[in-house]
Amino acid sequence: MIIVMNSNAPQASIDRVVAEIERMGSKAHLSRGQFRTVIGAVGEEGVVDQTHLAALDGVEKVVPIMKPYKLASREFHEDDSVIEVGGGNTPVVKIGGSHAACIAGPCAVESEAMLNRIARHVRDGGATILRGGVYKPRTSPYSFQGLGIEALRWMRACGDELGMPICVEVMDTRQVEQMEKFVDCFQIGARNMQNFDLLREVGKTTKPVLLKRGLSASVKEWLMSAEYVLSQGNRSVILCERGIKTFEDSVRYSLDISSIPVARQWSHLPIIVDPSHAAGKRDWVGSLALAGMAAGAHGVIVEVHYNPAEAQCDGPQALLPEMFKALMEQLRQIAVVTEKEFSVPAELAVASN
Amino acid sequence: MIIVMNSNAPQASIDRVVAEIERMGSKAHLSRGQFRTVIGAVGEEGVVDQTHLAALDGVEKVVPIMKPYKLASREFHEDDSVIEVGGGNTPVVKIGGSHAACIAGPCAVESEAMLNRIARHVRDGGATILRGGVYKPRTSPYSFQGLGIEALRWMRACGDELGMPICVEVMDTRQVEQMEKFVDCFQIGARNMQNFDLLREVGKTTKPVLLKRGLSASVKEWLMSAEYVLSQGNRSVILCERGIKTFEDSVRYSLDISSIPVARQWSHLPIIVDPSHAAGKRDWVGSLALAGMAAGAHGVIVEVHYNPAEAQCDGPQALLPEMFKALMEQLRQIAVVTEKEFSVPAELAVASN
Amino acid sequence: MIIVMNSNAPQASIDRVVAEIERMGSKAHLSRGQFRTVIGAVGEEGVVDQTHLAALDGVEKVVPIMKPYKLASREFHEDDSVIEVGGGNTPVVKIGGSHAACIAGPCAVESEAMLNRIARHVRDGGATILRGGVYKPRTSPYSFQGLGIEALRWMRACGDELGMPICVEVMDTRQVEQMEKFVDCFQIGARNMQNFDLLREVGKTTKPVLLKRGLSASVKEWLMSAEYVLSQGNRSVILCERGIKTFEDSVRYSLDISSIPVARQWSHLPIIVDPSHAAGKRDWVGSLALAGMAAGAHGVIVEVHYNPAEAQCDGPQALLPEMFKALMEQLRQIAVVTEKEFSVPAELAVASN
Amino acid sequence: MIIVMNSNAPQASIDRVVAEIERMGSKAHLSRGQFRTVIGAVGEEGVVDQTHLAALDGVEKVVPIMKPYKLASREFHEDDSVIEVGGGNTPVVKIGGSHAACIAGPCAVESEAMLNRIARHVRDGGATILRGGVYKPRTSPYSFQGLGIEALRWMRACGDELGMPICVEVMDTRQVEQMEKFVDCFQIGARNMQNFDLLREVGKTTKPVLLKRGLSASVKEWLMSAEYVLSQGNRSVILCERGIKTFEDSVRYSLDISSIPVARQWSHLPIIVDPSHAAGKRDWVGSLALAGMAAGAHGVIVEVHYNPAEAQCDGPQALLPEMFKALMEQLRQIAVVTEKEFSVPAELAVASN
């Protein structure tokens, strides 16, 4: 950690900073320049409290040298993590390293029939994990809020029947225990990326966690949220880039494509993209999905509906089944260029061998 | 609601939109321009589902005319709401209309002694509501997370002794029931502004809710979150602008000063500013507080510490007691210009009469 | 154009808006809802002044229906434009439709020798247009500002020798006349995207214009700037996405990948990406370039240097020649997926026939 | 300057960085931590090239310690600068330190009669400098572009008659020489904040320069642009905060109120606010103006029109004369709180003594 003093900081302030660094068990190195004094705190960075030093008199700024996350960092885990989803009543699907996967399904589960129909469509198209919301985070209290536990049972039954692990969003700490019995993968939504109690609760479970990036979270803050889950013992976190808030208003959110190479350089965790919520409009979903894979993502999560105009949630961004199928073909080709391979649905796997 | 069709939308698409509008119980008015057809849905807007229409073939965009919130809207409640905080063991403090208030205290309660000392300082300076965190939302799982229920008891005792209602952040739905017995006002932090389950839970209580604006929430989304609380029956919501994420990196967050006149025009709810978290550095806190009041806010919430270098949380932004006192003097003068008056601490009120 | 009146707008205000619309030669259609009156202005939109209507009493907002650009719009030019660069002393390189191209070279021309060396490297790697700055927009007045006209002569000679059209940034209206004699393509930098006098001047020339997107320009504003050039008679504009300012600070600018499908849907103009300035660090340049092509771009512009540590400008983002060559291989594969083909250097073209 | 090496940087890379620092005439101090080596370059920072070091192998990041601007910095000029505007045929108006001023007038000069009428209104209201655009930067090439030189003559005549210095926007390097004969203060618009050739040209004149902040410029970049002007010999720069691009869409631009205390801490230059362009709607202009003054600004620049619906440019944000007058009264009261005083129009000054 490096402490830059104000240009006119008195000696007493410099002495105080040095004393504090040493009190915290680190060593202080002074560099006196023509205009300023800079103090380096050498030793294990975790023991030095950045905020404390920044609050001392005469300190202009404190520059941390180490990353603030550990378990999520590639410095402590050099190779790509490969996360396994499913494996109970369904095959295991791997995500990470050279393993890519497509997660698809409806935005929200609206009925058992619609779920089963869409699930078959996405499985036929090449998805290997089924998504579907049962509790929905809606900006308006007057919008459809999801069907809850009943829809969760349908998801489980449908996933088991089709051999697809299921991924479902959890919104409230009180839902974790019950949901853990049903799901193969918890999804944490963008608006809950810094709901720290929720992160801790899913961190105590044994199921993988798909962690969407917050709408205004830096890559560093995102990895800090992953660290919350990892620090509770759950080492299976999948990052998901889904777009950030910017001034551009043609799309719902701006897919931050650079977060993919950055997160991959800083962390060993796998990362996928959600082009549906970023685009907000089905016309643009395909281009964003392809871009995500080309940038190095380990897969995509997309929303599909056979009749978007009937969807109770996010219809405008849902792909039609035939669009989804065509997109998967292109995604497979892109994956080859970035040295990844998509998992294939169970029976098809047999067939293609 | 206005539906703009693509320039090449076929008649069948136009017919379908008209049919859907009528099915939803509204009337459709067509305007055929040289290049496009525009369809107005006339009637009560709430009955028409914007997302549904946007998902239909041939629709370019849907423009809502009505605000998506009702109970938070000034159209349905013309006069400023005045919210009352406290009244059990403490005096009532009013916020809204011509009533301004200053909420102050430590960022986090670190010990009973430090709490009591800071509380006296802020009361002497002119604060009438005491703040202090007992559960802390921290970006790192390795940072101080708050002292919990024990600190809550200290807050209650301290508030009672000094005649100051207390305002404490709630982070998890599981904390609401217990905290309701202690606090005079719930605070919802910026990162939880769209934690919809939490909003619903505090909406079922009888205590006022201080709702901080999310780091990337538009004013409209913020009012939608207020609507979540209001729709559960709790009509006492105080908005709090605390800065948004922008590209500017000199400050922690950019205080969005224009949100004050905008929110006041659109909503009857009172609004205060938090200059401490926006600035991130005590040098700039005062200027932002003054700006907030000048822009029409109903008060401020600021962090104070007698020894910031010892603070376990956000020391660099804590005002020293003497800085706080001087700031309150300036705030009172600004309040006069915008036709507001700060509440004064109970005994001082007697003295000044 | 649609004019939404305030909920309490008096009849006189409504009448005034109607009168103004008719005065401007358009027809007014009223829709009276339960809470508001909405007025549609039907006719050719260009004749109605949005700002004027928005300034009238009682008007809440004005919603334009038509795009504000014409010549840049796909509505008026359905097929992709194919822009031809070069053709004097060099072969013609096509960009647009199924034609992709790679523009590469040093950030700034530092000497004739370095230019010739880098130009050979990029040509060997597969670039068909040579870039190189001779006037440099630098945030600091104390940084290297470019070698000017002498460097321009070297660029021309080098391009002629290698059979590569040259693309050079113009910064000032006073440079346009002289530069036109040398360059095959003008580049307008991001900071000059709304330097309207400069846009008009290059719009009067006969050379193609590579128009970089401004750091905070919406796609719509970008197309309006293209319209400035087009409206002067120059129909050869190539859009270039190079990243926007967001809160994310890991990269220099956030490459806005969604601008590619959006601009392609709204406009017939070709679009390329600049991954170098967005990433700011060579490690991430390749991923962004691949993402851009996968999203549908018509090519890339990248910076290359054989010894980045010696570069006087933007060394950290320059690709090494061997990195560039490997990237081009991947880009060609991605291009196949999105049905495009890169132009190839002249002699190689002969060889491959 | 501090150079942080990658955690796995080999000794050869470290040696190279040290050698380069010494070659540039600075001294290198090594600190070897458990995980990384950090190298401090001690000496005059200007001599060390940050970009060069950042491009070397094994370097993770380079952290500058000194501010990149000198003449604009408070470190080199401790006291507030006081800029004098006018003094030829008009009184001198001071801006900076305890001197505040109000600049007002129409957005664009549309005719001599309208100019004279508005000028009288703003002078009566309390403005002491007259603004009015004669060349207008418009996003659309089809919008009104200003009346040019003829309007400039009207401005000069009007300013002389009323005793008000005039402030006029310059857009193109080719306009500088002629305009210098007429204006008392050049205005550089937000879109030209990084038009470096234009900055240099006005830097060579003897007239003060009102430098608007770019829509996506950090405070640091803004001061770097001021440095361009100052470095040419012109020491009279007035900063003007006018709002930045954010995700918030209720206003045209988000007035970045924190830039005022930040710029004042970092620089000695005076700073004013433009609430009109930020708000985009006259309802909110007053609140933003008051906030700006409360935050420590040295004045405001506002647009006024007696009939906004007739304005050819930005009518919705123009204040009516009576609104302007009332606002000035409030601004004077706020100025007292922040220890500033507004200049008063010449004759009124006599009258009030």
Side-chain angles (χ1 to χ4, degrees):
Chain A
M1 197 166 289
I2 290 158
I3 298 89
V4 181
M5 303 300 292
N6 285 331
S7 56
N8 54 2
Q11 185 60 36
S13 295
I14 295 171
D15 292 346
R16 172 81 192 276
V17 171
V18 170
E20 290 294 316
I21 288 170
E22 292 176 350
R23 188 182 61 74
M24 290 186 275
S26 196
K27 267 189 251 174
H29 282 201
L30 257 76
S31 301
R32 289 182 195 276
Q34 188 176 353
F35 297 106
R36 282 160 199 283
T37 294
V38 174
I39 306 170
V42 183
E44 200 166 340
E45 188 144 305
V47 306
V48 179
D49 182 342
Q50 175 180 355
T51 311
H52 170 69
L53 294 175
L56 292 172
D57 280 342
V59 172
E60 179 161 316
K61 63 176 171 179
V62 177
V63 183
I65 300 305
M66 300 291 291
K67 301 273 190 292
Y69 41 85
K70 290 184 173 55
L71 302 170
S73 169
R74 200 175 273 280
E75 295 189 3
F76 291 79
H77 186 302
E78 205 170 313
D79 297 325
D80 278 12
S81 280
V82 177
I83 308 295
E84 304 199 337
V85 181
N89 299 331
T90 69
V92 164
V93 176
K94 292 181 180 178
I95 300 183
S98 64
H99 304 276
C102 175
I103 307 173
C107 176
V109 177
E110 296 162 14
S111 75
E112 191 169 13
M114 80 72 96
L115 171 64
N116 288 335
R117 187 165 161 192
I118 291 176
R120 274 174 174 74
H121 277 305
V122 300
R123 189 182 181 289
D124 289 352
T128 45
I129 300 178
L130 180 65
R131 64 148 291 148
V134 305
Y135 300 109
K136 298 301 303 175
R138 306 302 297 275
T139 45
S140 168
Y142 309 120
S143 298
F144 174 66
Q145 309 275 328
L147 296 178
I149 181 71
E150 190 173 11
L152 192 57
R153 291 183 203 279
W154 299 334
M155 279 290 289
R156 182 69 270 161
C158 182
D160 287 351
E161 190 186 337
L162 298 182
M164 299 175 83
I166 64 171
C167 176
V168 185
E169 179 167 356
V170 59
M171 284 178 61
D172 187 344
T173 51
R174 297 171 301 186
Q175 297 161 351
V176 175
E177 190 177 348
Q178 187 180 44
M179 284 184 71
E180 190 183 359
K181 296 172 197 154
F182 289 92
V183 305
D184 297 299
C185 182
F186 283 109
Q187 179 181 315
I188 300 286
R191 289 169 186 78
N192 278 318
M193 193 205 82
Q194 293 189 317
N195 181 336
F196 301 116
D197 288 288
L198 185 58
L199 295 175
R200 264 191 290 258
E201 285 304 313
V202 297
K204 292 175 191 159
T205 73
T206 60
K207 299 293 174 66
V209 176
L210 182 77
L211 180 63
K212 291 207 172 179
R213 181 180 179 189
L215 310 175
S216 60
S218 66
V219 174
K220 197 179 83 175
E221 289 167 330
W222 190 16
L223 293 176
M224 290 302 290
S225 285
E227 190 83 7
Y228 260 92
V229 178
L230 298 168
S231 69
Q232 300 299 313
N234 187 340
R235 300 301 165 93
S236 298
V237 174
I238 302 162
L239 303 170
C240 179
E241 164 64 38
R242 49 80 75 212
I244 57 174
K245 280 254 191 150
T246 70
F247 61 82
E248 176 59 46
D249 60 1
S250 56
V251 284
R252 277 179 82 184
Y253 304 99
S254 299
L255 190 77
D256 180 15
I257 199 75
S258 57
S259 76
I260 298 167
V262 172
R264 292 200 59 196
Q265 185 176 72
W266 293 357
S267 177
H268 53 90
L269 298 172
I271 178 169
I272 67 171
V273 293
D274 171 354
S276 305
H277 284 87
K281 194 169 168 178
R282 80 178 62 86
D283 298 4
W284 302 326
V285 168
S287 293
L288 298 188
L290 296 174
M293 284 307 293
H298 298 97
V300 297
I301 178 167
V302 289
E303 295 184 1
V304 175
H305 202 295
Y306 51 87
N307 186 355
E310 257 182 32
Q312 285 187 276
C313 171
D314 288 345
Q317 75 198 31
L319 291 181
L320 294 165
E322 61 273 21
M323 293 172 81
F324 173 69
K325 200 164 189 171
L327 175 60
M328 274 306 295
E329 283 310 306
Q330 291 181 293
L331 286 171
R332 282 186 216 284
Q333 294 173 59
I334 299 278
V336 172
V337 183
T338 57
E339 297 178 349
K340 292 188 190 61
E341 195 175 359
F342 272 91
S343 56
V344 286
E347 294 173 347
L348 298 181
V350 174
S352 71
N353 282 343
Chain B
M1 197 166 291
I2 289 158
I3 297 89
V4 181
M5 304 299 293
N6 286 331
S7 57
N8 53 2
Q11 185 59 38
S13 296
I14 295 170
D15 293 345
R16 171 81 191 274
V17 171
V18 169
E20 291 293 316
I21 289 170
E22 291 175 350
R23 188 182 61 76
M24 290 187 273
S26 195
K27 266 189 251 173
H29 282 201
L30 257 74
S31 300
R32 289 182 196 276
Q34 189 176 352
F35 298 106
R36 281 160 201 283
T37 294
V38 174
I39 305 169
V42 183
E44 199 165 343
E45 188 143 305
V47 307
V48 179
D49 182 342
Q50 174 180 356
T51 310
H52 171 69
L53 293 174
L56 292 172
D57 280 341
V59 172
E60 179 162 316
K61 62 177 173 179
V62 177
V63 183
I65 300 305
M66 300 291 291
K67 300 274 189 291
Y69 42 86
K70 289 185 172 55
L71 301 171
S73 169
R74 200 175 274 279
E75 295 190 2
F76 291 80
H77 186 301
E78 205 171 313
D79 297 324
D80 279 12
S81 281
V82 177
I83 309 294
E84 304 198 338
V85 181
N89 298 332
T90 68
V92 165
V93 176
K94 293 181 179 178
I95 301 182
S98 64
H99 304 276
C102 174
I103 306 174
C107 176
V109 177
E110 296 163 14
S111 74
E112 192 170 10
M114 80 72 95
L115 171 64
N116 288 335
R117 187 166 162 192
I118 292 176
R120 275 174 173 75
H121 278 305
V122 300
R123 189 181 181 290
D124 288 353
T128 45
I129 300 178
L130 179 65
R131 63 149 290 150
V134 307
Y135 300 108
K136 298 300 304 174
R138 305 303 297 275
T139 45
S140 168
Y142 309 120
S143 298
F144 174 66
Q145 308 275 327
L147 297 178
I149 181 70
E150 190 173 11
L152 192 56
R153 291 184 203 279
W154 300 334
M155 279 290 288
R156 184 67 272 162
C158 183
D160 287 350
E161 189 185 337
L162 298 182
M164 301 175 81
I166 64 172
C167 176
V168 185
E169 179 166 355
V170 59
M171 285 178 60
D172 187 345
T173 50
R174 297 171 301 185
Q175 297 161 351
V176 174
E177 190 177 348
Q178 187 180 44
M179 283 184 72
E180 191 183 358
K181 296 172 197 154
F182 290 94
V183 305
D184 297 300
C185 182
F186 283 108
Q187 178 181 313
I188 300 286
R191 290 170 185 77
N192 277 318
M193 192 205 83
Q194 293 190 317
N195 181 336
F196 301 115
D197 288 288
L198 185 57
L199 295 176
R200 265 191 290 258
E201 286 303 315
V202 296
K204 292 176 191 158
T205 72
T206 60
K207 299 294 172 66
V209 175
L210 181 77
L211 180 62
K212 290 206 172 181
R213 180 179 179 191
L215 310 175
S216 60
S218 66
V219 174
K220 198 179 82 175
E221 290 167 329
W222 190 15
L223 293 175
M224 290 303 290
S225 284
E227 190 84 6
Y228 260 92
V229 177
L230 298 168
S231 69
Q232 300 299 313
N234 186 341
R235 300 301 166 93
S236 298
V237 174
I238 301 163
L239 303 170
C240 178
E241 163 65 38
R242 49 79 74 212
I244 58 174
K245 279 254 192 150
T246 70
F247 61 82
E248 176 60 47
D249 60 1
S250 55
V251 285
R252 277 179 81 183
Y253 303 100
S254 299
L255 190 78
D256 180 14
I257 199 76
S258 57
S259 75
I260 298 167
V262 172
R264 292 200 59 195
Q265 185 175 74
W266 293 357
S267 177
H268 53 91
L269 298 171
I271 178 169
I272 67 170
V273 293
D274 171 354
S276 305
H277 284 86
K281 194 169 168 178
R282 81 177 61 85
D283 298 6
W284 302 326
V285 169
S287 294
L288 299 188
L290 296 173
M293 284 307 294
H298 298 97
V300 297
I301 178 167
V302 289
E303 295 185 0
V304 175
H305 202 295
Y306 51 86
N307 186 356
E310 256 182 32
Q312 286 188 276
C313 171
D314 288 345
Q317 75 199 31
L319 290 183
L320 294 165
E322 62 272 21
M323 293 172 79
F324 172 68
K325 199 163 190 171
L327 175 60
M328 274 305 296
E329 282 310 306
Q330 291 181 294
L331 286 171
R332 280 186 216 285
Q333 294 173 60
I334 299 278
V336 173
V337 183
T338 57
E339 297 178 350
K340 293 188 189 62
E341 194 176 0
F342 274 92
S343 55
V344 286
E347 294 174 347
L348 299 180
V350 174
S352 69
N353 282 345
Chain C
M1 198 166 292
I2 289 157
I3 297 90
V4 182
M5 304 299 293
N6 286 331
S7 56
N8 53 2
Q11 186 59 37
S13 296
I14 295 170
D15 292 346
R16 170 82 193 273
V17 171
V18 169
E20 290 293 317
I21 288 169
E22 292 175 350
R23 188 181 61 77
M24 291 186 275
S26 194
K27 266 188 252 174
H29 282 203
L30 258 75
S31 300
R32 288 181 196 275
Q34 189 175 351
F35 297 106
R36 280 160 201 283
T37 294
V38 174
I39 305 169
V42 183
E44 200 165 341
E45 189 143 305
V47 307
V48 179
D49 182 342
Q50 175 179 354
T51 310
H52 171 69
L53 293 174
L56 292 171
D57 281 341
V59 173
E60 178 162 317
K61 62 177 174 180
V62 177
V63 184
I65 300 306
M66 300 291 290
K67 300 274 189 292
Y69 41 85
K70 290 185 171 55
L71 302 170
S73 170
R74 200 175 275 280
E75 295 188 3
F76 290 80
H77 186 302
E78 205 171 313
D79 297 325
D80 279 12
S81 281
V82 177
I83 308 295
E84 304 198 339
V85 181
N89 298 331
T90 69
V92 164
V93 176
K94 293 182 179 177
I95 301 183
S98 64
H99 304 277
C102 174
I103 306 174
C107 177
V109 177
E110 296 162 14
S111 73
E112 191 169 11
M114 81 70 96
L115 171 65
N116 288 334
R117 186 165 162 192
I118 292 176
R120 275 174 174 75
H121 277 306
V122 301
R123 189 181 182 290
D124 288 351
T128 44
I129 300 178
L130 180 65
R131 62 149 290 149
V134 306
Y135 300 108
K136 299 301 301 174
R138 306 303 297 274
T139 45
S140 168
Y142 310 121
S143 298
F144 174 66
Q145 308 274 328
L147 297 178
I149 181 70
E150 189 173 11
L152 193 56
R153 290 184 204 279
W154 300 334
M155 278 291 288
R156 182 69 271 161
C158 183
D160 287 351
E161 188 185 337
L162 298 183
M164 301 175 81
I166 64 171
C167 176
V168 185
E169 178 166 356
V170 60
M171 285 178 61
D172 187 346
T173 50
R174 298 172 300 185
Q175 298 161 351
V176 174
E177 190 177 346
Q178 187 179 45
M179 283 184 72
E180 191 183 358
K181 297 171 197 154
F182 290 94
V183 305
D184 297 299
C185 182
F186 283 110
Q187 178 181 314
I188 300 285
R191 288 170 186 78
N192 277 319
M193 192 204 84
Q194 293 190 318
N195 181 337
F196 301 115
D197 288 288
L198 184 58
L199 296 175
R200 265 191 288 257
E201 286 303 315
V202 296
K204 292 175 192 159
T205 73
T206 60
K207 300 294 173 67
V209 176
L210 181 77
L211 179 62
K212 290 206 172 181
R213 180 179 180 189
L215 310 175
S216 60
S218 66
V219 174
K220 197 179 81 177
E221 290 167 329
W222 191 15
L223 293 175
M224 290 303 289
S225 284
E227 190 83 7
Y228 260 93
V229 178
L230 299 168
S231 69
Q232 299 299 312
N234 186 340
R235 299 302 165 93
S236 297
V237 175
I238 302 162
L239 302 170
C240 178
E241 163 65 38
R242 49 79 75 211
I244 58 173
K245 280 254 191 150
T246 70
F247 61 82
E248 176 59 46
D249 60 1
S250 56
V251 285
R252 277 179 81 184
Y253 303 100
S254 299
L255 190 78
D256 180 15
I257 198 75
S258 57
S259 75
I260 299 166
V262 172
R264 292 200 59 196
Q265 186 175 72
W266 293 358
S267 177
H268 53 91
L269 297 171
I271 178 170
I272 67 170
V273 293
D274 171 355
S276 305
H277 285 86
K281 194 170 169 178
R282 82 178 60 86
D283 299 5
W284 302 327
V285 169
S287 294
L288 298 188
L290 296 174
M293 284 307 294
H298 297 96
V300 298
I301 178 168
V302 289
E303 295 184 0
V304 175
H305 203 295
Y306 52 87
N307 185 356
E310 256 182 33
Q312 286 187 276
C313 171
D314 287 345
Q317 76 199 29
L319 290 183
L320 295 165
E322 61 272 22
M323 293 172 80
F324 173 69
K325 199 164 190 170
L327 174 60
M328 274 305 295
E329 283 310 306
Q330 290 182 295
L331 286 170
R332 281 186 215 285
Q333 294 174 59
I334 299 278
V336 173
V337 183
T338 56
E339 297 178 351
K340 292 187 190 63
E341 194 174 1
F342 273 91
S343 55
V344 287
E347 294 174 345
L348 300 179
V350 174
S352 69
N353 282 344
Chain D
M1 198 166 288
I2 289 158
I3 297 90
V4 181
M5 304 300 293
N6 286 331
S7 57
N8 55 1
Q11 185 60 37
S13 296
I14 295 170
D15 293 345
R16 172 82 192 274
V17 171
V18 170
E20 290 294 316
I21 288 170
E22 292 175 349
R23 189 182 61 74
M24 290 186 274
S26 196
K27 266 189 253 175
H29 282 202
L30 257 75
S31 300
R32 289 182 196 276
Q34 190 175 351
F35 298 105
R36 282 161 200 282
T37 294
V38 175
I39 305 169
V42 183
E44 200 167 339
E45 189 143 305
V47 306
V48 179
D49 182 342
Q50 175 180 355
T51 310
H52 171 68
L53 294 175
L56 292 172
D57 280 341
V59 172
E60 178 162 316
K61 62 176 173 179
V62 177
V63 184
I65 300 305
M66 300 291 291
K67 301 273 190 290
Y69 41 86
K70 289 185 173 53
L71 302 170
S73 169
R74 201 175 273 280
E75 296 189 2
F76 290 79
H77 187 302
E78 206 170 311
D79 297 324
D80 278 12
S81 281
V82 177
I83 310 295
E84 303 198 339
V85 181
N89 299 331
T90 68
V92 165
V93 176
K94 293 181 179 178
I95 301 183
S98 63
H99 303 276
C102 174
I103 306 173
C107 176
V109 177
E110 296 162 14
S111 74
E112 192 170 12
M114 82 70 97
L115 172 64
N116 288 335
R117 185 165 163 193
I118 292 176
R120 274 172 175 75
H121 277 305
V122 301
R123 190 181 180 289
D124 288 351
T128 45
I129 300 177
L130 180 65
R131 64 148 291 148
V134 305
Y135 300 108
K136 298 301 302 175
R138 305 302 298 275
T139 46
S140 167
Y142 309 120
S143 298
F144 173 66
Q145 309 275 328
L147 297 178
I149 181 70
E150 190 173 11
L152 193 56
R153 291 183 204 279
W154 299 334
M155 278 290 289
R156 182 70 271 159
C158 183
D160 287 350
E161 189 186 337
L162 298 182
M164 300 176 82
I166 64 170
C167 176
V168 185
E169 178 166 356
V170 59
M171 284 178 62
D172 188 344
T173 51
R174 298 171 301 185
Q175 298 161 351
V176 174
E177 191 178 347
Q178 186 180 44
M179 284 184 72
E180 190 183 359
K181 297 172 198 154
F182 290 92
V183 304
D184 298 299
C185 182
F186 283 108
Q187 178 181 314
I188 300 285
R191 289 170 186 78
N192 278 319
M193 193 204 82
Q194 293 190 316
N195 181 337
F196 301 116
D197 289 288
L198 185 58
L199 295 176
R200 265 190 289 258
E201 286 304 314
V202 296
K204 292 174 192 158
T205 73
T206 59
K207 299 292 173 67
V209 176
L210 182 77
L211 179 62
K212 291 207 172 179
R213 180 180 179 189
L215 309 175
S216 60
S218 66
V219 174
K220 197 179 81 176
E221 290 167 328
W222 191 16
L223 293 176
M224 290 302 290
S225 285
E227 190 84 7
Y228 260 92
V229 178
L230 298 168
S231 69
Q232 300 300 313
N234 187 339
R235 299 301 165 91
S236 298
V237 174
I238 301 162
L239 302 170
C240 178
E241 163 65 37
R242 48 80 74 214
I244 58 174
K245 280 255 190 148
T246 70
F247 61 82
E248 176 59 46
D249 60 1
S250 55
V251 284
R252 275 179 82 183
Y253 304 99
S254 299
L255 190 78
D256 180 15
I257 198 76
S258 58
S259 76
I260 298 167
V262 172
R264 291 200 60 195
Q265 185 175 72
W266 293 356
S267 177
H268 54 90
L269 298 171
I271 178 168
I272 68 170
V273 293
D274 172 353
S276 305
H277 284 87
K281 194 170 169 178
R282 80 177 61 85
D283 298 4
W284 302 326
V285 169
S287 293
L288 298 188
L290 296 173
M293 284 307 292
H298 298 97
V300 297
I301 178 167
V302 289
E303 295 184 1
V304 175
H305 202 295
Y306 52 87
N307 186 355
E310 257 183 31
Q312 284 188 276
C313 172
D314 288 344
Q317 75 199 29
L319 292 182
L320 295 165
E322 61 271 21
M323 293 172 81
F324 172 69
K325 200 164 189 172
L327 174 60
M328 273 306 295
E329 284 309 307
Q330 291 182 293
L331 286 170
R332 282 186 215 284
Q333 294 174 58
I334 299 277
V336 173
V337 183
T338 57
E339 297 178 350
K340 293 188 189 62
E341 194 174 0
F342 273 91
S343 55
V344 286
E347 294 173 346
L348 299 182
V350 174
S352 69
N353 283 342

